[in-house]
């Protein structure tokens, strides 16, 4: 897990999931709190089915309102919720499956939301991805021009 790197202390990291990733969301919230990160858990609170676009909308509203600086979204595969979050022009959600993707989504794409699959990603890989996502700064340079073309937020 992210040895030798410090998590960049964000004011607050918001987490949201649908019913397909309850356990992973709870595990990641506990992991982050143990690392000293302030967590805003947006739910869903239980196993009843919810629509993942609604959870993505809630996370987008939370970031837009300044209640959190970055977000983590989860659904069963991560696919549906990543499509939903990226419908918001000011959100850059990156569905990742490994440490390499977690690092590059920050370095090259200035992603402000990490997306994981609760049923497709192992817990240790998920924790490693979260740690790297929060510890990795945006590289800027040639990537800033590309990120600017995506619209929405300016590179952080």
């Amino acid at each position: 897990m992210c040895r030798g790197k410090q998590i960049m202390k964000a004011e607050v990291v918001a987490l949201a999931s649908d019913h397909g990733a309850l356990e992973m969301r709870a595990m990641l919230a506990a992991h982050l709190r143990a690392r000293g990160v302030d967590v805003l858990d947006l739910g869903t609170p239980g196993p009843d089915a919810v629509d993942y676009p609604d959870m993505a909308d809630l996370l987008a509203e939370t970031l837009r309102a300044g209640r959190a600086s970055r977000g983590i979204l989860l659904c069963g595969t991560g696919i549906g919720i990543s499509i939903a979050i990226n419908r918001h022009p000011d959100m850059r959600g990156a569905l990742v499956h490994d440490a390499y993707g977690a690092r590059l989504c920050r370095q090259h794409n200035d992603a402000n939301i990490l997306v994981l699959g609760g049923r497709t990603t192992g817990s240790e890989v998920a924790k490693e991805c979260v740690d790297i996502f929060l510890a990795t700064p945006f590289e800027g340079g040639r990537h800033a021009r590309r990120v600017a073309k995506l619209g929405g937020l300016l590179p952080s």
Side-chain angles (χ1 to χ4, degrees):
M1 281 198 298
C2 199
R3 288 173 174 70
K5 286 190 176 183
Q6 292 288 77
I7 291 177
M8 292 174 57
K9 179 88 172 172
E11 282 186 27
V12 178
V13 175
L15 280 81
S17 74
D18 72 357
H19 54 281
L22 289 173
E23 295 82 11
M24 181 171 283
R25 192 187 77 243
M27 179 273 298
L28 290 175
H31 172 73
L32 287 169
R33 288 183 179 116
R35 303 277 321 251
V37 177
D38 292 327
V39 173
L40 176 59
D41 189 340
L42 301 173
T44 189
D48 293 337
V50 297
D51 296 336
Y52 57 80
D54 296 338
M55 301 313 295
D57 291 348
L58 179 59
L59 186 90
E61 291 168 17
T62 299
L63 267 60
R64 207 173 285 127
R67 294 180 54 214
S69 53
R70 291 199 219 169
I72 299 170
L73 275 175
L74 306 108
C75 70
T77 63
I79 297 168
I81 210 160
S82 69
I83 293 168
I85 196 62
N86 284 304
R87 293 184 67 192
H88 296 268
D90 54 343
M91 300 294 136
R92 289 184 302 281
L95 173 59
V96 303
H97 304 284
D98 54 34
Y100 183 71
R103 182 170 51 84
L104 289 183
C105 81
R106 286 291 307 136
Q107 281 182 333
H108 292 187
N109 308 115
D110 198 23
N112 57 342
I113 300 164
L114 178 70
V115 183
L116 297 166
R119 296 177 181 150
T120 60
T121 308
S123 60
E124 292 306 310
V125 170
K127 288 189 276 189
E128 181 179 35
C129 288
V130 166
D131 289 348
I132 290 169
F133 176 78
L134 295 177
T136 304
F138 177 52
E139 196 172 273
R142 69 186 190 276
H143 304 293
R145 179 183 76 250
R146 296 167 184 159
V147 170
K149 288 181 177 183
L150 297 173
L153 295 175
L154 295 175
S156 56

